[in-house]
Amino acid sequence: MHIQVSTSGETVGGSRYRTLGRLGAGGMAEVDLALQNGVAGSSRLCVLKRVRRDLVARAEYVSMFFEEARISASMNHPNIVQIYEVGGDEHDCFLALEFLRGRSYAHVLTANSGKVLDYRVDLEVMLATLNGLEHAHQRRDLSGEPMRLVHRDISPPNVFVTYDGEIKVLDFGVAKTKNSQVQTEAGILKGKAEYMAPEVVAGEPFDARADLYAVGVMLWEAT
């Protein structure tokens, strides 16, 4: 990926972050490379995720964003992208995440299309993804009650492989828990249809096993 790095970008979160360049944009959010300023002149690269500016005035998108922030900030696992900070308000909300040097698993598959890969690479990706999901699925709230978290969008674009060999689950933007404050409207599917469990497509109740089904589809594609 090539980005045009700026040395005089936008400041976010007071003066704690300065954007350096656009990494991408999706249906709800914009993602920028940024510099996080710390104490005593320390700094580090990070990723800022914010609600798209044309959507920030729409309450439903802001609610979805804060739902993602609430869920993501509750997790800490080597196979899940790390959240540094949740900040802002309903007019300028942001997530500060660790900057990962590498490629999505989808990019790895595309780059090696037509080649015979060592199956152990795919298995390593699947096992790491399952480890991250196990952590997410077993999360409990502050009262000790199971959160019953479901990612809902496990797929190759949302699994990241770093150049150092780390594997991270990304993007809990459509995840849900038993106490989710954002409810999906009837007839609306969130996620990628080709990785959805049958009960999800049918609009029936589902649980964490839907994420395991998605990993199964990824494994089937890999083999």
Side-chain angles (χ1 to χ4, degrees), residues 27-50:
M28 183 181 75
E30 299 170 340
V31 180
D32 291 314
L33 178 65
L35 190 68
Q36 181 186 34
N37 299 309
V39 297
S42 63
S43 62
R44 64 178 170 183
L45 289 174
C46 67
V47 171
L48 284 185
K49 184 175 183 178
R50 292 182 289 172

Side-chain angles (χ1 to χ4, degrees), residues 80-156:
I80 295 178
V81 63
Q82 182 181 355
I83 305 296
Y84 293 150
E85 181 182 359
V86 179
D89 52 33
E90 64 273 15
H91 303 295
D92 183 22
C93 42
F94 68 88
L95 276 175
L97 309 94
E98 65 176 320
F99 173 61
L100 302 174
R101 294 173 174 84
R103 300 286 186 176
S104 72
Y105 181 52
H107 183 275
V108 173
L109 293 176
T110 300
N112 291 280
S113 178
K115 300 178 184 178
V116 178
L117 294 180
D118 189 332
Y119 70 92
R120 290 173 294 185
V121 174
D122 295 306
L123 291 181
E124 189 69 27
V125 171
M126 303 303 159
L127 288 172
T129 301
L130 290 171
N131 282 334
L133 287 174
E134 182 180 32
H135 174 79
H137 294 160
Q138 293 183 350
R139 298 305 298 153
R140 294 177 177 268
D141 59 26
L142 293 178
S143 64
E145 293 297 316
M147 292 176 63
R148 297 176 190 167
L149 193 157
V150 186
H151 185 287
R152 287 208 290 182
D153 197 14
I154 293 297
S155 57

Side-chain angles (χ1 to χ4, degrees), residues 71 74-81 124-140 147-156 158-159 167-172 174-176 195 207-219:
I71 291 172
S74 72
M75 293 180 288
N76 182 18
H77 190 273
N79 295 123
I80 295 178
V81 63
E124 189 69 27
V125 171
M126 303 303 159
L127 288 172
T129 301
L130 290 171
N131 282 334
L133 287 174
E134 182 180 32
H135 174 79
H137 294 160
Q138 293 183 350
R139 298 305 298 153
R140 294 177 177 268
M147 292 176 63
R148 297 176 190 167
L149 193 157
V150 186
H151 185 287
R152 287 208 290 182
D153 197 14
I154 293 297
S155 57
N158 285 334
V159 176
I167 299 164
K168 308 258 187 177
V169 176
L170 309 179
D171 198 354
F172 284 78
V174 298
K176 70 182 294 290
Y195 298 94
D207 56 29
R209 289 173 291 184
D211 288 341
L212 304 185
Y213 178 94
V215 177
V217 175
M218 289 171 57
L219 181 60

